[in-house]
Amino acid sequence: MIMVEKLCKDYPISHGRKMVLQDVSFTLRKGQKLGILGCNGAGKSTLIRLLGGVEKPTSGTVTSQMSVSWPLAFQGGIVGNLSGFDNLRFICRIYQVDFETAVAQVQDFSELGNYLYEPVKTYSSGMRARLAFAISMTVDFDCYLIDEISAVGDKRFNERFKKQLGDKTAQRSVIMVSHFYGVIKEYCELAAVLNSGILTLFDDVTDAIKYYEQVLLGKKITF
């Protein structure tokens, strides 16, 4: 179970502080999949970073009783001067993953070829994304944090990632943020909308999509 209580986050700006998240609260049980919709700049990525422990909240708490992944595609933990191979070795040591098995999986999924043994700083942004996702799939977590998977890589890689992600998370919890409701509808059974730092929860994904479309985007859709 993950319990988020009155989570707030603000940042200093030139004329004071900007509130990004305001009293966000929800509970996610093991096996549940929660999709969070929000426009660009709504605070979705900030929320994912807080849940993953990449940043600390201004106030409020995140209490987890299960293992939680780093935000998938987050590249802040990848060392540019090291090769993809050595980055993978380091992560395998931290999470006690069999290295030989992980190397085979990353080589197959990332399709980096010999670049896996080159410094990550020489990679293109797409290559870094493929490495980050491939490494993410080698570690078993109880809950996976996913930020905008629809915007990652080329179409073919994105489809491969979606399939592997579906297999990997079939019996696990997911917290996914996106501004594309189709992705949320495909993967999630619960949904919420983040708007002006306030999170509104819905028991039905369709209701969340309607709220997102009608209230935030001024559109009317039918299902």
Side-chain angles (χ1 to χ4, degrees):
M1 181 181 293
I2 297 174
M3 294 169 286
V4 179
E5 298 181 280
K6 296 186 177 301
L7 199 65
C8 295
K9 182 65 177 181
D10 61 24
Y11 294 98
I13 56 177
S14 59
H15 53 280
R17 301 189 70 85
K18 177 178 176 56
M19 182 66 72
V20 178
L21 297 173
Q22 302 181 53
D23 293 328
V24 170
S25 297
F26 65 87
T27 298
L28 186 79
R29 292 174 174 81
K30 192 170 184 178
Q32 289 184 320
K33 295 173 175 57
L34 171 66
I36 300 175
L37 284 162
C39 298
N40 290 331
K44 304 186 301 299
S45 294
T46 298
L47 177 57
I48 285 289
R49 290 195 299 271
L50 295 178
L51 295 174
V54 179
E55 293 187 35
K56 292 184 178 181
T58 303
S59 62
T61 60
V62 177
T63 304
S64 178
Q65 298 174 349
M66 52 186 173
S67 61
V68 179
S69 77
W70 57 81
L72 299 199
F74 175 70
Q75 300 174 24
I78 294 178
V79 181
N81 288 329
L82 296 180
S83 67
F85 182 86
D86 288 331
N87 273 281
L88 174 61
R89 188 202 304 274
F90 178 68
I91 289 172
C92 285
R93 286 176 178 173
I94 292 175
Y95 290 96
Q96 298 181 337
V97 174
D98 181 75
F99 181 62
E100 296 302 322
T101 301
V103 168
Q105 291 175 350
V106 169
Q107 285 177 325
D108 176 66
F109 186 68
S110 69
E111 299 180 339
L112 289 172
N114 290 332
Y115 274 103
L116 184 63
Y117 306 96
E118 298 296 328
V120 173
K121 65 182 180 182
T122 66
Y123 290 13
S124 67
S125 59
M127 292 165 67
R128 289 178 65 99
R130 294 204 304 272
L131 175 68
F133 275 109
I135 291 176
S136 298
M137 293 293 96
T138 66
V139 184
D140 291 326
F141 295 101
D142 296 323
C143 179
Y144 287 86
L145 305 177
I146 306 168
D147 189 352
E148 300 287 7
I149 68 167
S150 58
V152 175
D154 58 32
K155 183 177 180 180
R156 188 180 67 85
F157 178 79
N158 197 29
E159 290 301 319
R160 291 182 65 227
F161 174 73
K162 285 183 179 181
K163 183 181 184 307
Q164 184 154 343
L165 179 66
D167 294 342
K168 189 79 171 180
T169 63
Q171 304 300 322
R172 303 177 191 274
S173 300
V174 168
I175 300 176
M176 175 185 294
V177 300
S178 181
H179 62 278
F180 293 114
Y181 59 76
V183 176
I184 298 297
K185 191 176 182 181
E186 179 180 357
Y187 282 97
C188 301
E189 61 197 20
L190 304 171
V193 177
L194 187 61
N195 181 34
S196 299
I198 298 172
L199 190 72
T200 304
L201 295 165
F202 295 86
D203 292 329
D204 187 272
V205 175
T206 300
D207 291 338
I209 293 172
K210 287 181 177 178
Y211 176 80
Y212 174 66
E213 287 284 341
Q214 294 173 4
V215 176
L216 299 186
L217 302 181
K219 298 179 181 178
K220 186 175 182 179
I221 57 175
T222 58
F223 295 91

